[in-house]
Amino acid sequence: MSVALDTPAARLSSDEAGELAARHGLTPAVQRPPLPEYLRQLWGRRHFIVAYARARLTALYATARLGQIWHVLTPLFNVAVYWLIFGYLLDKKAGTGDNYIAFLSVGMFVFTYSRESIATGTWSISNRIELVRAMHFPRACLPIASTLVQLQQLVLSMGIVISICLATGEPFSARWLLLVPALALQTVFNLGCGMLMARIGARNHDIGELVPFLLRTWMYTCGVFYSIAKVTGHAPRIIRLLLESNPGAIYIELARHALLDGYAQLTPHVWILAAVWAAVALVTGLVVCWQAEDKYGRG
C-alpha cells in the first residue's frame, strides 16, 4: 500500500482549527494579556528596553566614520540652510526675538527629536519581525526603545544648542531649568506617537512612503524657522488656534521660552496643552499598540 505524498492536506476553517486545538489542549503561543498585566510586563522588561536601546545606538552609526556626530551635524547643516533662506534671503526674522540663530537652532533640534522618534518608531516592529517571532516579550518594548535611542541623541544635541545660545549672547538664568520639564513632556508625547506609528507600520508597509512627506509637512506648520504669532497675525482665528495648538509647535515654544531671554513670554495654557498632548498621545499609543499584541509577526 502506498501513500501519495503530494496529496494536499485538508484545509480547516477557523472554528474547526479552534476546536481541534482545544481538544488536544493547545493554546496560542502569543496572547494579548489584560492592559494592567501588559503594563507590568513592560515594567519587568525595562532592563531589556534600556539594553536594546544602547545596542541600537551603538549599531546605528557603526559604519560611519564620524559616528553619532552625524546626528548633530545634520540639524546644524539644516540650521545653516534655513538661516540662509528664511533669515537672510527672505528676511522672516520678525517676531523671533533678537537672536535668530538661537531661535532657529532650538526649533530645529527640538523638532528633530520628535520627527526621528516617530520615523524610527514606525518601523520599530516591522523591521524586527525575526525578533518578534523568535522571542516572547511585550511588543511595545521596541517603539519605546526607539524613542530612548532618540532621547540619548537629544542629550548630545542639547549640549550643542546650549553652546550656540551662550555663544550668541544668551545669558544663563534659572529659567533654563524649565527645559527639563518641557523635554520630559515631549518625551512622553514621542513615546505615545512611536507606539501608535509602530502599530500602523506593522500593518501597512506602504506607510513608509507617506511618513517622510507627512513629517516634512508637519515641520512647516511648527514654526521651526518663523514666528507663528507673527505669520498668523492677520489669519482667521481658527487657523491661528490650530497652528498654536500644534504639539510640535508647543514643545518648541516651551524650549525657546526656557533658553531665549529675548523671546516672547508664554501664556499659562501652553504648559497645559503640552501636558494634555503628552497624556493623550501616551494613552492612545499604548492602547492601540497593545490591542494588536497577538497579531504582530503573523503573515
Side-chain angles (χ1 to χ4, degrees), residues 253-267:
E253 289 294 289
L254 291 179
R256 284 172 175 160
H257 171 68
L259 295 176
L260 306 183
D261 185 63
Y263 196 61
Q265 296 296 315
L266 289 176
T267 53

Side-chain angles (χ1 to χ4, degrees), residues 145-267:
S146 295
T147 303
L148 289 183
V149 170
Q150 300 307 318
L151 178 60
Q152 294 176 73
Q153 303 271 36
L154 179 70
V155 173
L156 177 61
S157 299
M158 282 299 104
I160 302 299
V161 171
I162 290 174
S163 299
I164 292 174
C165 290
L166 292 173
T168 52
E170 292 295 331
F172 177 80
S173 68
R175 200 170 74 182
W176 284 29
L177 296 176
L178 292 175
L179 185 64
V180 175
L183 295 180
L185 289 173
Q186 185 185 10
T187 298
V188 175
F189 173 80
N190 291 350
L191 282 169
C193 290
M195 288 186 285
L196 174 63
M197 294 305 298
R199 163 76 183 274
I200 296 174
R203 291 176 59 89
N204 185 0
H205 295 281
D206 292 330
I207 196 69
E209 301 298 326
L210 190 59
V211 166
F213 170 77
L214 293 177
L215 291 175
R216 187 163 56 250
T217 303
W218 187 34
M219 181 183 70
Y220 287 112
T221 67
C222 290
V224 172
F225 34 75
Y226 64 88
S227 168
I228 291 178
K230 184 67 176 180
V231 170
T232 61
H234 300 289
R237 181 175 177 80
I238 184 63
I239 299 298
R240 185 164 64 253
L241 287 176
L242 287 174
L243 290 179
E244 291 177 350
S245 301
N246 179 350
I250 287 173
Y251 297 118
I252 290 174
E253 289 294 289
L254 291 179
R256 284 172 175 160
H257 171 68
L259 295 176
L260 306 183
D261 185 63
Y263 196 61
Q265 296 296 315
L266 289 176
T267 53

Side-chain angles (χ1 to χ4, degrees), residues 25-39:
L26 302 179
T27 59
V30 178
Q31 290 181 310
R32 184 182 68 188
L35 186 56
E37 175 61 24
Y38 191 68
L39 292 173

